[in-house]
Amino acid sequence: MRDIGGLSEFTIGVISVVPFAVAFFAVLAAGQISDRTGLRRTVLGSGVVLAAVGLTAAALASPVPAVVMLIVATIGFKVAASSFYVIPQQYLVGAMVAPGIAPTNSVGNLGGFVAPTLLGQVESRTGSVDNALLIVAVICLVALAGCALMRYQAGAQDTNQHADLTGTSTGTGTSSEPDLPAAGPGRTVGNSG
């Protein structure tokens, strides 16, 4: 934002609020879509894609479009984070929910330390924040691969569960609804996630 030129510190501060204000409404909309469709991992993956695209475009664009693309990236990060924390709750029941989410939250909080440190190191060594944004975009693509793996594994679980219940096997390892969790104790199969 400082590269735009002619902006006071107050104006930069006000503009800095815009991505988070827009992301607030995007998270609400994504939550409604996720609840209505049950496609939790799809919403998570979409957020990661938005973040990667926003960061890449911000690194390559001139200052004003870069700010707009940082808004897109912020929307992606916030949608992905809010979707991510819902997924473990689908597979954990009763007294296991809190201890199951705690390690997830701990690792997530480490990102709050590691990411700014990494970005600062890359920027100080290369002299450009653009390189740091591109590195985070690559990390987003790794996260997207993780989302795809989760989706594939959920599809394989659903197919195996269906085969166990019906005594048949399709042998494909995928399901027509890979975002739905496998049935199990305390869980139901349906549009819950």
Side-chain angles (χ1 to χ4, degrees):
M1 289 183 210
R2 285 186 176 89
D3 290 343
I4 293 173
L7 298 179
S8 68
E9 292 296 320
F10 177 76
T11 305
I12 290 172
V14 170
I15 293 172
S16 297
V17 172
V18 172
F20 297 98
V22 174
F24 170 78
F25 293 104
V27 167
L28 292 177
Q32 288 181 343
I33 291 168
S34 178
D35 288 345
R36 218 173 308 127
T37 64
L39 300 174
R40 311 274 190 221
R41 286 175 286 276
T42 301
V43 172
L44 170 63
S46 299
V48 172
V49 167
L50 271 179
V53 168
L55 289 173
T56 302
L60 302 175
S62 60
V64 173
V67 170
V68 172
M69 295 316 299
L70 286 175
I71 292 171
V72 171
T74 302
I75 290 169
F77 281 123
K78 296 302 179 185
V79 165
S82 64
S83 300
F84 179 77
Y85 282 101
V86 176
I87 293 171
Q89 296 176 35
Q90 295 172 231
Y91 298 96
L92 303 170
V93 293
M96 292 306 297
V97 174
I101 292 176
T104 303
N105 195 38
S106 298
V107 171
N109 286 334
L110 280 175
F113 168 74
V114 172
T117 304
L118 173 67
L119 294 179
Q121 289 293 321
V122 170
E123 184 178 358
S124 68
R125 290 176 189 222
T126 66
S128 171
V129 72
D130 296 341
N131 294 327
L133 294 177
L134 291 172
I135 287 174
V136 176
V138 169
I139 292 170
C140 287
L141 295 178
V142 172
L144 183 61
C147 292
L149 181 62
M150 271 193 327
R151 188 176 167 108
Y152 174 78
Q153 288 178 334
Q157 271 186 326
D158 290 345
T159 301
N160 292 339
Q161 181 70 27
H162 178 72
D164 289 345
L165 293 173
T166 62
T168 62
S169 175
T170 61
T172 62
T174 61
S175 169
S176 61
E177 297 181 292
D179 268 346
L180 300 178
R187 290 179 269 167
T188 58
V189 173
N191 278 345
S192 62

